[in-house]
């Protein structure tokens, strides 16, 4: 997918998840465009640093049991899966990947806030009204 297609998801495929099958996470075009911009801005201020990536994690907590966490990083661990496309890297640790495998990552921009969000998580049920936390299917 090239150009300025705002509503097209791009499929990222990792080598293998802990269950020995290909894992997938989708990222909407605005998501990887925002990651690229953050990387470019970071490189201008810190050219000695590595590639800036979006880290997506799932942590216990939030009003529904688990919450999504997003951060920009240039560090990775051996257990991380790195999804790359269109010059943007998204990093997910292996535990979080099991909870978001099959999801889409979007970047929403409005007058009130600009934020990354996870949509269409097949492992989630009962999301809270804020959209940042969820209950894992079968755990309620």
């Amino acid at each position: 997918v090239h150009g300025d297609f705002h509503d097209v998801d791009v499929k990222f495929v990792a080598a293998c998840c802990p269950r020995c099958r290909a894992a997938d996470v989708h990222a909407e075009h605005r998501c990887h465009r925002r990651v690229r911009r953050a990387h470019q801005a970071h490189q201008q201020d810190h050219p000695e640093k590595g590639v800036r990536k979006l880290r997506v994690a799932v942590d216990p907590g939030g009003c529904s049991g688990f919450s999504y966490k997003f951060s920009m990083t240039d560090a990775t661990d051996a257990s991380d899966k790195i999804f790359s496309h269109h010059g943007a890297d998204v990093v997910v640790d292996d535990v979080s990947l099991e909870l978001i495998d099959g999801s889409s990552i979007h970047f929403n921009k409005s007058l009130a806030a600009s934020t990354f969000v996870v949509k269409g998580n097949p492992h989630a049920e009962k999301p809270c009204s804020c959209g940042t936390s969820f209950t894992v299917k079968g755990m309620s």
Side-chain angles (χ1 to χ4, degrees):
V1 178
H2 298 286
D4 241 16
F5 300 102
H6 297 292
D7 53 353
V8 176
D9 282 353
V10 178
K11 185 175 185 179
F12 292 115
V13 179
C16 186
C17 82
R19 294 170 290 197
C20 295
R21 66 165 181 75
D24 62 22
V25 174
H26 303 268
E28 186 263 339
H29 183 72
R30 284 178 288 194
C31 173
H32 51 80
R33 185 172 56 186
R34 179 66 176 132
V35 173
R36 272 195 324 268
R37 285 184 181 160
H39 167 68
Q40 291 166 349
H42 183 71
Q43 285 296 105
Q44 287 177 350
D45 295 338
H46 306 283
E48 74 284 359
K49 297 283 186 176
V51 175
R52 201 78 168 147
K53 304 162 192 66
L54 173 65
R55 178 173 292 282
V56 182
V58 176
D59 289 338
C63 30
S64 294
F66 291 92
S67 60
Y68 301 113
K69 301 291 182 195
F70 301 95
S71 61
M72 297 302 294
T73 185
D74 50 8
T76 58
D77 295 324
S79 65
D80 288 338
K81 304 299 181 243
I82 303 173
F83 303 96
S84 299
H85 198 41
H86 290 286
D89 292 338
V90 177
V91 178
V92 184
D93 65 88
D94 59 350
V95 174
S96 296
L97 184 58
E98 289 189 39
L99 297 172
I100 65 168
D101 183 20
S103 301
S104 294
I105 303 169
H106 294 251
F107 182 73
N108 290 343
K109 186 174 182 178
S110 69
L111 292 175
S114 296
T115 185
F116 293 100
V117 295
V118 174
K119 294 185 179 182
N121 186 347
H123 308 283
E125 64 182 7
K126 298 182 183 176
C128 70
S129 60
C130 68
T132 62
S133 69
F134 65 98
T135 300
V136 175
K137 286 182 179 176
M139 291 186 72
S140 53

